[in-house]
Amino acid sequence: MVNLRSRVTRLGVLDIGSNTIHMLIVDAAPGARPDPEASTKSTVRLMQYVKDDGSIKKSGIEAILTAVDQCMELAEEYDITQLLAMATSAIKEAPNSNKILRKIEERIGQSVTVLSGTDEARLTFLAARRWYGWGAGRLLMLDIGGSSLEVAMGSDEEPTVALSAAAGACRITREYLPEGTASVDELEVVRKKVRRILEPMVDAFPKSKHPAHAVGTSKTFRSLARLAGAVLRQSGREDTWIMTREQLEDWIPRLAAIEPEQRVALPGITPERTMQIVGGGIVADEIMRSLNVHEVEICPWALREGAILRWLDQFGRTRLGF
């Protein structure tokens, strides 16, 4: 019998996102489930440090580096043998991104892979496909980050469509919901603006193909489902959360009427998401509506797991040599 854990790599994934900077450490082995060994994260909210010209302020750079240092302390504690470092769209879009990336690379001692929106969509889709397996059929993956929304769909591990739009929860909140609260009329104005942002993505989406299963993979979807959805229990599978569009639409105006600092008392709303949850909810509702998705299931795996799985596919080896 081949022991799948016989060639384990202590792998660290440094995920420099627009909302959080996260280090996930796993014992990664080909063919084995990449269960977390340890993790740490810092909520940075890069969008709050963006200047009018799109560059990131000095205070924002300092916040990034402090968070990276915290992540690397955990990596050193666990004596990782491989580091995957990746940055997503918020840093990539900044005019001073090269300066920021150089500073990060000096801290960690290696290069940082800057992911495009399509890269993010493909990696996150891979994670969802591996979680649900081939039995899920044509899979639709929706992921709302801080800066962007990623959508991917396909029947295989490589999606046939992978798209990204500048409609992240932090971005929408910063640009259209700066106070965090809104009336019903104000919400409709924001909805119309989000629809315009999503229009190119929706137009590019294949109209003739419909998913057999739709999943949400981001913390935004998870928070919304814990607030508005329900637990799904199935024999032989881990419990998960599901959320219908009707449940979400019922909660959005109620959320928007509550002061952000008071939302932490609600189920699923963590302190780092109290401000942006309404913006994220609008994006979730509008993309589900535009793609005619009635219900989503929350997938526990997302971008970081996708990066681990891709690395194992490319560099992992079994004892049999293939």
Side-chain angles (χ1 to χ4, degrees):
M1 179 182 295
V2 175
N3 181 2
L4 294 178
R5 294 289 182 182
S6 62
R7 297 194 62 179
V8 171
T9 298
R10 179 63 62 82
L11 184 65
V13 183
L14 176 60
D15 178 8
I16 305 168
S18 57
N19 193 51
T20 61
I21 295 179
H22 197 130
M23 173 67 79
L24 174 67
I25 298 183
V26 300
D27 284 341
R33 175 170 165 160
D35 288 327
E37 179 81 8
S39 68
T40 185
K41 70 175 180 178
S42 297
T43 300
V44 176
R45 295 194 187 97
L46 284 183
M47 299 306 295
Q48 69 180 329
Y49 297 107
V50 176
K51 300 179 184 177
D52 291 340
D53 66 355
S55 62
I56 296 174
K57 300 176 184 177
K58 182 179 179 180
S59 56
I61 298 175
E62 292 171 351
I64 293 169
L65 297 178
T66 298
V68 168
D69 287 343
Q70 178 180 314
C71 288
M72 294 308 295
E73 287 175 5
L74 184 70
E76 291 175 7
E77 178 186 343
Y78 278 80
D79 194 23
I80 66 170
T81 55
Q82 179 71 39
L83 175 65
L84 306 182
M86 55 190 182
T88 52
S89 56
I91 289 181
K92 176 186 65 179
E93 295 170 357
N96 57 341
S97 62
N98 289 338
K99 174 184 176 181
I100 298 170
L101 289 169
R102 280 198 305 271
K103 287 181 176 292
I104 295 171
E105 289 170 350
E106 289 172 0
R107 287 294 220 283
I108 68 175
Q110 68 174 64
S111 62
V112 176
T113 299
V114 181
L115 301 176
S116 68
T118 300
D119 292 334
E120 291 183 52
R122 292 172 58 242
L123 286 174
T124 307
F125 181 86
L126 172 63
R129 170 57 73 194
R130 291 281 178 92
W131 181 266
Y132 290 103
W134 301 108
R138 185 179 291 116
L139 190 67
L140 172 67
M141 182 281 302
L142 308 174
D143 185 283
I144 302 171
S147 180
S148 60
L149 162 73
E150 274 70 51
V151 173
M153 186 173 73
S155 299
D156 300 314
E157 291 197 338
E158 186 67 24
T160 54
V161 56
L163 304 166
S164 180
C170 286
R171 187 191 296 267
I172 296 302
T173 301
R174 177 176 178 266
E175 296 184 3
Y176 306 125
L177 290 163
E179 302 300 321
T181 57
S183 66
V184 173
D185 290 342
E186 289 168 336
L187 286 175
E188 185 56 35
V189 171
V190 177
R191 284 182 174 279
K192 289 178 180 178
K193 292 177 178 179
V194 170
R195 284 176 208 144
R196 284 197 292 269
I197 295 171
L198 298 182
E199 189 173 351
M201 171 184 278
V202 174
D203 289 345
F205 206 81
K207 304 296 187 294
S208 60
K209 296 184 181 295
H210 302 284
H213 195 59
V215 301
T217 60
S218 61
K219 293 289 178 61
T220 295
F221 268 112
R222 190 174 306 166
S223 293
L224 291 168
R226 289 182 183 233
L227 173 69
V231 177
L232 175 65
R233 292 186 170 90
Q234 292 182 325
S235 177
R237 285 183 53 187
E238 295 183 17
D239 292 349
T240 187
W241 289 83
I242 56 171
M243 178 179 65
T244 66
R245 202 168 71 230
E246 288 78 8
Q247 289 171 326
L248 177 58
E249 290 174 350
D250 177 61
W251 260 104
I252 289 175
R254 288 194 276 163
L255 268 178
I258 301 171
E259 292 295 329
E261 61 271 16
Q262 296 176 343
R263 294 172 187 160
V264 73
L266 297 171
I269 310 301
T270 55
E272 64 267 23
R273 300 197 180 271
T274 54
M275 185 70 179
Q276 68 192 55
I277 195 65
V278 175
I282 290 172
V283 173
D285 188 30
E286 290 300 329
I287 191 61
M288 290 174 68
R289 181 191 297 270
S290 297
L291 299 183
N292 197 28
V293 173
H294 171 69
E295 179 182 276
V296 292
E297 182 176 349
I298 307 307
C299 178
W301 285 359
L303 177 62
R304 287 181 290 277
E305 287 79 10
I308 294 167
L309 294 167
R310 180 69 77 214
W311 185 87
L312 286 170
D313 288 347
Q314 292 176 337
F315 301 107
R317 295 291 182 270
T318 69
R319 291 178 66 184
L320 299 178
F322 58 83

